[in-house]
């Protein structure tokens, strides 16, 4: 079986990073802000401009990329799945990685180093904004995703395990399976509904 896995919000708690580092960034600049915990993008969470979002990312994203804490049991479960003859493909649209810019190569390298540092096996890491096309071209059987934009699009074609977050709680359809931890994902991946009893 070919399993597609997003990185941010799946292997890491990116939302917690945005709240923690975002409030620090705004406080240090003496910028007032609300917090909309059920929104996905930095600019929407804090009601800031796209320019302010880019400034925040440039100042903080490499700290996150290099030092983010991996979610509990993520490496353990992915290793189990890989050892059970499943192919693992990381499919990410991490900031700076999917379009030409000064930080593209640096960020792609940081992603690969972080995954290797955390001893996570994989067949390939694909940097792409259009995850539907990647899933189709690779023949991905199931995708693990958190994005409220990507989940509905991908689930039109293959089952999606939605890693639960406040910003995706309202997304549901028959092809979306909601999970709350990596062990919950493991149980779900072995259910008859997903893997035919594998």
């Amino acid at each position: 079986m070919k399993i597609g896995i997003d990185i941010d919000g799946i292997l890491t708690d990116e939302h917690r990073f945005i709240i923690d580092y975002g409030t620090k960034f705004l406080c240090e600049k003496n910028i007032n802000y609300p917090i909309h915990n059920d929104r996905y993008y930095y600019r929407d969470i804090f009601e800031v401009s796209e320019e302010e979002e880019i400034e925040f990312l440039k100042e903080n994203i490499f700290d996150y990329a290099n030092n983010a804490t991996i979610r509990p049991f993520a490496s353990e479960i992915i290793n189990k799945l890989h050892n059970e003859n499943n192919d693992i493909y990381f499919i990410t649209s991490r900031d700076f990685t999917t379009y030409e810019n000064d930080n593209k190569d640096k960020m792609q390298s940081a992603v690969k180093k972080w995954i290797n540092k955390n001893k996570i096996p994989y067949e390939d890491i694909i940097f792409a904004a259009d995850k539907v096309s990647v899933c189709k071209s690779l023949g991905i059987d199931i995708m693990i995703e958190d994005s409220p934009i990507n989940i509905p699009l991908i689930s039109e074609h293959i089952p999606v395990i939605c890693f639960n977050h406040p910003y995706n709680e309202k997304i549901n359809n028959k092809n979306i399976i909601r999970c709350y931890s990596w062990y919950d994902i493991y149980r779900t991946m072995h259910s008859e509904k997903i893997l035919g009893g594998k």
Side-chain angles (χ1 to χ4, degrees):
M1 180 174 218
K2 292 185 177 182
I3 302 172
I5 305 176
D6 180 33
I7 295 175
D8 301 305
I10 304 297
L11 298 183
T12 67
D13 190 348
E14 182 188 30
H15 193 63
R16 186 73 258 165
F17 158 78
I18 290 173
I19 299 295
D20 288 341
Y21 282 73
T23 51
K24 176 179 182 289
F25 176 81
L26 293 167
C27 284
E28 288 178 346
K29 295 190 177 300
N30 200 28
I31 299 171
N32 288 325
Y33 58 86
I35 297 179
H36 300 287
N37 194 47
D38 61 345
R39 296 183 185 176
Y40 182 59
Y41 292 110
Y42 174 88
R43 60 183 175 271
D44 298 325
I45 293 169
F46 297 115
E47 293 184 9
V48 297
S49 68
E50 188 173 352
E51 291 74 22
E52 288 170 313
E53 179 180 51
I54 291 169
E55 184 182 359
F56 165 75
L57 290 172
K58 284 182 177 178
E59 287 192 21
N60 294 281
I61 193 69
F62 281 101
D63 185 9
Y64 165 77
N66 295 319
N67 301 310
T69 301
I70 190 168
R71 282 189 182 278
F73 311 115
S75 179
E76 176 184 337
I77 296 303
I78 295 170
N79 271 279
K80 283 178 180 285
L81 292 169
H82 196 254
N83 290 337
E84 293 166 0
N85 297 316
N86 295 292
D87 293 331
I88 305 297
Y89 293 88
F90 290 109
I91 306 168
T92 180
S93 57
R94 165 77 65 84
D95 291 294
F96 303 143
T97 63
T98 62
Y99 57 93
E100 292 305 320
N101 64 88
D102 293 341
N103 288 310
K104 180 180 179 180
D105 292 341
K106 182 180 176 183
M107 181 56 80
Q108 288 189 1
S109 176
V111 169
K112 293 172 183 175
K113 285 179 182 176
W114 185 89
I115 288 175
N116 291 333
K117 178 178 75 174
N118 284 285
K119 299 178 180 176
I120 309 172
Y122 60 89
E123 273 55 56
D124 201 1
I125 303 173
I126 300 98
F127 300 96
D130 182 357
K131 294 187 179 183
V132 173
S133 293
V134 172
C135 287
K136 285 182 176 180
S137 66
L138 290 175
I140 298 295
D141 296 297
I142 190 165
M143 182 73 187
I144 304 171
E145 178 66 69
D146 71 305
S147 164
I149 293 94
N150 287 321
I151 291 168
L153 296 173
I154 298 169
S155 67
E156 290 179 7
H157 307 278
I158 58 173
V160 175
I161 291 179
C162 169
F163 202 114
N164 188 72
H165 287 279
Y167 51 77
N168 65 31
E169 286 182 337
K170 295 180 180 178
I171 298 173
N172 289 292
N173 71 39
K174 64 179 181 179
N175 229 12
I176 297 171
I177 305 99
R178 189 167 296 277
C179 289
Y180 297 83
S181 71
W182 269 98
Y183 261 94
D184 195 28
I185 289 172
Y186 188 69
R187 179 198 62 81
T188 299
M189 295 291 284
H190 283 77
S191 72
E192 191 169 328
K193 181 180 179 183
I194 303 301
L195 296 183
K198 179 178 175 180

